[in-house]
Amino acid sequence: MKRKTGQDRNITRNWRPATQAVRGGTARSEWGETSEAMFLTSGYAYDCAGDAAARFSGDQEGMTYSRLQNPTVEMLEQRIALMEGADACRATASGMAAMTAALLCQLEAGDHIVAGRALFGSCRWLTDTLLPKFGISATNVDARDPQAFIDAVRPETKLFFFETPANPTMDIVDLKAVCDIAKERGLTTVVDNAFATSALQRPMEFGADVVAYSATKMMDGQGRVLAGAICGSETFINDVLLPFHRNTGPTLSAFNAWVVLKGLETLDLRIRRQSENSLKVGSFLEKRVPRILHPGLASHPQHALAMQQMAACGSIFSFEVEGRTQAHALLDALELIDISNNIGDSRSLMTHPASTTHSGVAEEKRIEMGISEGMLRFNVGLEDADDLIEDLDRALEKAGL
């Protein structure tokens, strides 16, 4: 590969996904390094004052400050955009920085949004607490029902915001139906695709305008760094998002960008193996627990839709036991699987959402979202699935299941 081949969209858009994940966005320096270089710099020097002025005016290509541009971060942005099938991407310091920026950059006082009711706890905080502080109202709906979006639209509605699969209830949103509803009304759709990533689901192929990520999850995939990303059209990224990003500074570090670049190289391999493990472990649990919410199992009420939109079931699912006491007992009995509120890791992790990720959501809202006191969310890792099943078997028995 030549020095700039990885950044030539005329070439890279024709590569298959696994190749894009390894080589997309790469720009080699004059030294010809094979691995992406890490540029640990806050600023950049100019040969003359005229060059500095020209860069700031946009008349000269080049970088001015790492809050705006960094060569390592730019490589990551180009790679994620390529994999997503988007024109452009901006990387952020975390997934929540991405969600916040994707919304606030295009909203103002008096606007209204329609959001899925089943959201990550911090995303519900955005819709329920932060946005109203700026005079922006939100209506949370059951996103499984496209008609609910139609019924919630007002004259001042600006966008739809939802995640699919949803965290932690595993609700599946009909991407095409909801995006079509938005387009018919001139509204923007913002989709949180962190549970699937572009390796399993590309919302823009169904009409989504903006796709946002916690790249901390499957993209890094090994529990090392925080990162986020926002994908969209050139116009959205450069004219709508960039002014917000430039002036508020949710900037991703070059080191974290480099780590995520390395994670993306194995994303396709990891997420498919984890999906296989998830399906095997889910099939075991289905016979032992009162209720399981796994999009890869035929028992999931939206199984057909999930498999229509996703290339595989993904690594994450939820299941329910009899209340918080039994849920905590099961967690405490685990020997191999970690108790952790993270997801997307190569290690298997399990958490109790009602007391961790969604503990900041009022109980009545948790009930409305479908999060019971007995719900457990499970991120299935790359361990041998039989070892995970043996660990679960022991823990279930100790918890009385």
Side-chain angles (χ1 to χ4, degrees), residues 56-214:
F56 273 81
S57 68
D59 294 330
Q60 182 186 96
E61 289 189 4
M63 302 199 172
T64 59
Y65 193 53
S66 277
R67 176 158 49 85
L68 303 178
Q69 315 109 335
N70 176 280
T72 311
V73 176
E74 185 180 85
M75 284 190 273
L76 176 63
E77 290 169 342
Q78 292 208 24
R79 183 171 297 177
I80 292 174
L82 181 65
M83 294 170 66
E84 192 65 41
D87 291 344
C89 169
R90 290 292 292 184
T92 61
S94 70
M96 283 313 304
M99 303 303 158
T100 305
L103 296 178
L104 286 181
C105 75
Q106 56 182 317
L107 296 170
E108 60 185 38
D111 287 346
H112 170 256
I113 75 168
V114 181
R117 69 182 184 186
L119 297 170
F120 174 54
S122 294
C123 289
R124 266 306 284 254
W125 183 86
L126 288 181
T127 64
D128 296 354
T129 304
L130 182 66
L131 294 184
K133 290 182 178 181
F134 294 94
I136 302 162
S137 59
T139 301
N140 294 100
V141 302
D142 184 346
R144 295 171 296 181
D145 179 11
Q147 183 63 40
F149 285 90
I150 296 174
D151 294 342
V153 170
R154 305 175 186 170
E156 64 271 24
T157 303
K158 291 297 176 68
L159 63 84
F160 292 165
F161 174 49
F162 58 89
E163 54 191 56
T164 183
N167 182 2
T169 60
M170 306 309 295
D171 290 357
I172 306 297
V173 180
D174 189 328
L175 282 163
K176 186 178 187 308
V178 175
C179 291
D180 283 351
I181 290 166
K183 288 190 183 304
E184 289 168 3
R185 290 156 178 78
L187 308 177
T188 300
T189 46
V190 179
V191 180
D192 177 351
N193 196 41
F195 268 33
T197 79
S198 61
L200 297 185
Q201 177 174 269
R202 303 212 304 178
M204 288 184 176
E205 293 180 349
F206 298 91
D209 299 300
V210 179
V211 181
Y213 284 103
S214 172

Side-chain angles (χ1 to χ4, degrees), residues 8 31 40 83 92 113 145 151 157 170 179 191 212 214 232 262 293 315 335 337 360 375 379 392 395 399 401:
D8 187 342
W31 302 107
L40 298 179
M83 294 170 66
T92 61
I113 75 168
D145 179 11
D151 294 342
T157 303
M170 306 309 295
C179 291
V191 180
S214 172
K262 297 295 98 184
L293 296 165
S315 64
E335 296 178 3
I337 299 161
M375 178 175 282
N379 171 88
L392 285 165
L401 290 160

Side-chain angles (χ1 to χ4, degrees), residues 131-388:
L131 294 184
K133 290 182 178 181
F134 294 94
I136 302 162
S137 59
T139 301
N140 294 100
V141 302
D142 184 346
R144 295 171 296 181
D145 179 11
Q147 183 63 40
F149 285 90
I150 296 174
D151 294 342
V153 170
R154 305 175 186 170
E156 64 271 24
T157 303
K158 291 297 176 68
L159 63 84
F160 292 165
F161 174 49
F162 58 89
E163 54 191 56
T164 183
N167 182 2
T169 60
M170 306 309 295
D171 290 357
I172 306 297
V173 180
D174 189 328
L175 282 163
K176 186 178 187 308
V178 175
C179 291
D180 283 351
I181 290 166
K183 288 190 183 304
E184 289 168 3
R185 290 156 178 78
L187 308 177
T188 300
T189 46
V190 179
V191 180
D192 177 351
N193 196 41
F195 268 33
T197 79
S198 61
L200 297 185
Q201 177 174 269
R202 303 212 304 178
M204 288 184 176
E205 293 180 349
F206 298 91
D209 299 300
V210 179
V211 181
Y213 284 103
S214 172
T216 308
K217 308 304 187 285
M218 291 301 301
M219 289 188 186
D220 168 32
Q222 288 147 89
R224 300 170 296 189
V225 299
L226 300 180
I230 305 165
C231 299
S233 67
E234 288 278 2
T235 299
F236 176 82
I237 297 296
N238 294 329
D239 296 345
V240 181
L241 176 62
L242 182 56
F244 181 93
H245 193 277
R246 175 194 293 120
N247 292 298
T248 59
T251 308
L252 180 63
S253 74
F255 176 79
N256 286 11
W258 184 85
V259 172
V260 178
L261 278 165
K262 297 295 98 184
L264 287 175
E265 292 179 2
T266 60
L267 172 62
D268 185 73
L269 296 172
R270 287 184 287 104
I271 200 165
R272 291 182 186 278
R273 175 60 181 272
Q274 287 177 251
S275 293
E276 292 173 3
N277 281 354
S278 170
L279 194 56
K280 185 172 182 178
V281 173
S283 297
F284 162 77
L285 277 172
E286 188 172 29
K287 303 177 182 69
R288 294 285 296 275
V289 298
R291 185 176 184 229
I292 189 167
L293 296 165
H294 192 311
L297 295 174
S299 59
H300 191 286
Q302 297 169 289
H303 169 71
L305 176 61
M307 295 301 94
Q308 178 184 324
Q309 296 181 167
M310 300 172 66
C313 65
S315 64
I316 304 155
F317 65 88
S318 295
F319 63 96
E320 292 184 351
V321 295
E322 299 298 331
R324 181 179 293 209
T325 299
Q326 191 171 59
H328 280 197
L330 193 155
L331 289 172
D332 291 344
L334 295 169
E335 296 178 3
L336 173 62
I337 299 161
D338 287 316
I339 304 171
S340 177
N341 52 281
N342 196 20
I343 56 169
D345 201 310
S346 57
R347 301 161 188 82
S348 290
L349 314 171
M350 193 181 295
T351 195
H352 179 248
S355 60
T356 59
T357 59
H358 290 71
S359 60
V361 179
E363 183 180 3
E364 63 272 17
K365 289 184 179 178
R366 289 202 303 269
I367 294 170
E368 171 203 330
M369 294 166 70
I371 301 170
S372 71
E373 285 293 314
M375 178 175 282
L376 291 163
R377 189 192 65 198
F378 192 7
N379 171 88
V380 181
L382 290 171
E383 304 94 343
D384 190 295
D386 288 334
D387 286 330
L388 298 174

